[in-house]
């Protein structure tokens, strides 16, 4: 392609897209509206929420509600590192449907569940989760991908699906550990 065409295309792109969007570092768009690695401030300008963000030092979070489902958007130093959606009802059918969909899309998962030793079959595992004695957790990490997917079932949130930016998640956990 001739160099002058490339220059014209670049100048058109800069007039169509604001510089902020070009530099937003969106690693993956999830649940239609949320940009992993993107700016929390930009999200709040585009999608105002019914509540003010919860801010704790370098961390901020906002909850978007749609019916009985919720979407939690968490940021570290202004960048979105986690977007988590809850699913209702929290039951085995919902879990297996999401697991199947994610496995079809991302391949084999890693089971990183924390459960008591007595919970060997699915009924025992679900019972342990519902009593708060453990959690079911599955992770999909694509090779060389800067983000991962986690499907979790806990007593507190029920079934949730989270997309996380690996580096930002690690940085916020390290900052949390160093403040102890």
């Amino acid at each position: 392609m001739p160099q002058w065409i490339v220059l014209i295309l670049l100048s058109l792109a800069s007039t169509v897209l604001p510089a902020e969007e070009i530099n937003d570092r969106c690693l993956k768009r999830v649940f239609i509206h949320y940009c992993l690695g993107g700016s929390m401030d930009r999200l709040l300008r585009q999608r105002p929420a019914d509540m003010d963000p919860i801010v704790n030092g370098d961390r901020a979070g906002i909850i978007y509600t749609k019916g009985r489902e919720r979407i939690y958007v968490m940021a570290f130093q202004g960048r979105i590192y986690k977007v988590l959606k809850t699913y209702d009802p929290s039951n085995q059918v919902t879990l297996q449907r999401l697991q199947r969909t994610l496995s079809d899309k991302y391949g084999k998962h890693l089971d990183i569940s924390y459960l008591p030793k007595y919970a060997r079959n699915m009924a025992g595992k679900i019972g342990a989760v519902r009593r708060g004695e453990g959690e079911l957790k599955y992770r999909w990490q694509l090779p060389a991908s800067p983000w991962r997917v986690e499907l979790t079932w806990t007593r507190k949130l029920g079934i949730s699906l989270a997309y996380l930016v690996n580096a930002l998640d690690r940085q916020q956990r390290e900052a949390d550990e160093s403040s102890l």
Side-chain angles (χ1 to χ4, degrees):
M1 180 179 293
Q3 189 175 12
W4 62 273
I5 292 176
V6 173
L7 291 172
I8 290 172
L9 291 174
L10 285 173
S11 67
L12 286 174
S14 65
T15 59
V16 174
L17 297 173
E20 180 180 6
E21 186 167 328
I22 292 169
N23 297 324
D24 202 24
R25 298 185 303 225
C26 186
L27 299 174
K28 178 166 181 59
R29 186 159 299 278
V30 296
F31 308 123
I32 302 170
H33 305 287
Y34 312 98
C35 183
L36 278 180
S39 163
M40 178 67 105
D41 288 338
R42 183 164 181 260
L43 172 65
L44 290 170
R45 284 194 307 275
Q46 290 178 340
R47 290 187 55 80
D50 294 336
M51 62 177 275
D52 289 329
I54 300 163
V55 179
N56 181 7
D58 283 343
R59 290 174 194 75
I62 193 83
I63 303 169
Y64 293 92
T65 305
K66 183 178 180 183
R68 293 173 62 172
E69 294 176 346
R70 294 189 172 159
I71 295 181
Y72 299 80
V73 180
M74 288 151 268
F76 179 67
Q77 296 178 343
R79 310 304 302 173
I80 297 169
Y81 76 90
K82 183 176 187 177
V83 180
L84 180 143
K85 180 178 181 180
T86 61
Y87 288 85
D88 195 45
S90 287
N91 59 33
Q92 186 174 352
V93 172
T94 301
L95 180 73
Q96 289 175 329
R97 177 180 50 83
L98 287 167
Q99 231 179 355
R100 192 172 31 258
T101 301
L102 292 165
S103 291
D104 288 347
K105 190 170 185 173
Y106 300 119
K108 187 162 174 47
H109 66 269
L110 177 64
D111 186 341
I112 55 173
S113 301
Y114 170 77
L115 294 160
K117 292 184 191 238
Y118 67 82
R120 292 192 179 107
N121 62 21
M122 189 52 90
K125 293 174 182 181
I126 292 170
V129 168
R130 289 190 171 149
R131 287 187 299 275
E133 297 171 356
E135 68 179 29
L136 291 168
K137 191 170 193 174
Y138 308 100
R139 178 179 290 162
W140 287 262
Q141 176 67 62
L142 300 172
S145 175
W147 52 270
R148 68 183 185 275
V149 182
E150 294 181 351
L151 176 62
T152 308
W153 190 351
T154 64
R155 181 178 184 176
K156 186 175 181 179
L157 285 178
I159 294 176
S160 63
L161 176 60
Y163 288 82
L164 296 100
V165 177
N166 297 326
L168 288 172
D169 182 47
R170 185 173 41 258
Q171 288 173 7
Q172 70 86 26
R173 276 188 281 117
E174 288 169 357
D176 192 40
E177 290 170 3
S178 70
S179 67
L180 294 178

